[in-house]
Amino acid sequence: MKSEELSKIAEKINQCTKCKLHETKNNAVPGDGGKDSGLLFIGEAPGYWEDQKGVPFVVAAGKILDELLDSINLERSQVFITNVVKCRPPNNRDPLPEEMNACRPSLERQIEVIQPKVIVTLGRFAMDYVFKKYGLPDAKIGEVHGKDFEINTLNGRMRILALYHPAVVTHNPSYRPVLLDDFKRLGELIKN
Ligand code: URA
């Protein structure tokens, strides 16, 4: 059931022409991974390799994400991974507000279908989106990373955990231990 719904959303994303990004993309990146673990990771937007392959978090950022997941014995197949924006912004520039708005219904629908118990935001765009959606106050990632926020939804209790974007490690390796440490909190949350 969830698989079917998620495939329908992916189909729509693949055909979407609501913003200009569809003109320059090679592949849309709807998202993929485990549908039933209740764990949803949201990143920013596809990069070069994601756009080539149509898969989120591959190559550099993907390698780091895999290492982080592995540090708490999670496999990629156990978590659903998507992005705020599903098509690559040219030259990896920041997504524009109109691009995020155009993608909003797809992400909203993915959240509705997955009914996550934990949403992990990767980077500030995903954090801003999710904090706003659930009525959390504006936050700075440097202050809230690794802390979790509990939300009551119609489907029960949900936690939100804001993390730095894994790609930060490729520019600044000193973030690796910070991310590894923040992932430990995720390891605790999924036990409870
Ligand atoms: N960065 C993101 O935010 N998302 C991806 O899918 C890849 C890199």
Side-chain angles (χ1 to χ4, degrees):
M1 226 7 221
K2 275 192 188 180
S3 295
E4 261 174 43
E5 282 305 310
L6 290 168
S7 301
K8 277 192 213 158
I9 302 167
E11 186 83 356
K12 271 199 173 170
I13 292 169
N14 288 329
Q15 290 167 6
C16 180
T17 55
K18 281 206 251 167
C19 81
K20 280 193 180 278
L21 293 182
H22 81 276
E23 292 170 6
T24 47
K25 70 159 202 275
N26 288 298
N27 290 292
V29 182
D32 74 0
K35 289 122 184 124
D36 299 312
S37 67
L39 260 177
L40 174 63
F41 279 66
I42 305 176
E44 177 180 321
Y48 176 84
W49 283 110
E50 290 78 18
D51 171 71
Q52 294 289 315
K53 293 173 185 274
V55 177
F57 283 92
V58 290
V59 191
K63 207 162 153 250
I64 296 157
L65 183 58
D66 287 347
E67 178 190 331
L68 293 165
L69 290 168
D70 190 51
S71 74
I72 55 167
N73 296 317
L74 272 179
E75 287 180 20
R76 230 180 137 115
S77 59
Q78 292 176 275
V79 303
F80 194 86
I81 304 174
T82 189
N83 286 301
V84 173
V85 166
K86 315 299 193 199
C87 293
R88 182 187 182 219
N91 304 315
N92 295 351
R93 63 156 168 73
D94 287 348
L96 302 173
E98 59 265 32
E99 294 159 357
M100 291 191 273
N101 274 335
C103 266
R104 180 174 292 274
S106 318
L107 181 54
E108 292 297 313
R109 188 73 194 114
Q110 286 173 320
I111 295 173
E112 254 171 47
V113 172
I114 292 170
Q115 296 188 6
K117 293 276 166 251
V118 181
I119 296 184
V120 179
T121 62
L122 302 171
R124 71 190 160 93
F125 285 95
M127 180 189 79
D128 288 347
Y129 183 104
V130 170
F131 274 37
K132 199 167 200 170
K133 171 175 170 61
Y134 292 102
L136 293 171
D138 282 353
K140 291 209 163 63
I141 189 121
E143 286 162 15
V144 298
H145 70 93
K147 294 184 189 147
D148 56 288
F149 296 85
E150 190 170 314
I151 301 289
N152 285 314
T153 73
L154 292 175
N155 300 312
R157 184 177 74 158
M158 187 183 78
R159 319 283 188 89
I160 294 169
L161 181 66
L163 301 183
Y164 283 114
H165 194 288
V168 74
V169 173
T170 59
H171 313 294
N172 189 342
S174 67
Y175 279 91
R176 178 178 260 109
V178 179
L179 266 161
L180 281 165
D181 207 43
D182 288 351
F183 253 71
K184 286 190 193 148
R185 183 69 196 129
L186 177 59
E188 287 163 11
L189 287 182
I190 55 180
K191 281 194 210 126
N192 296 313

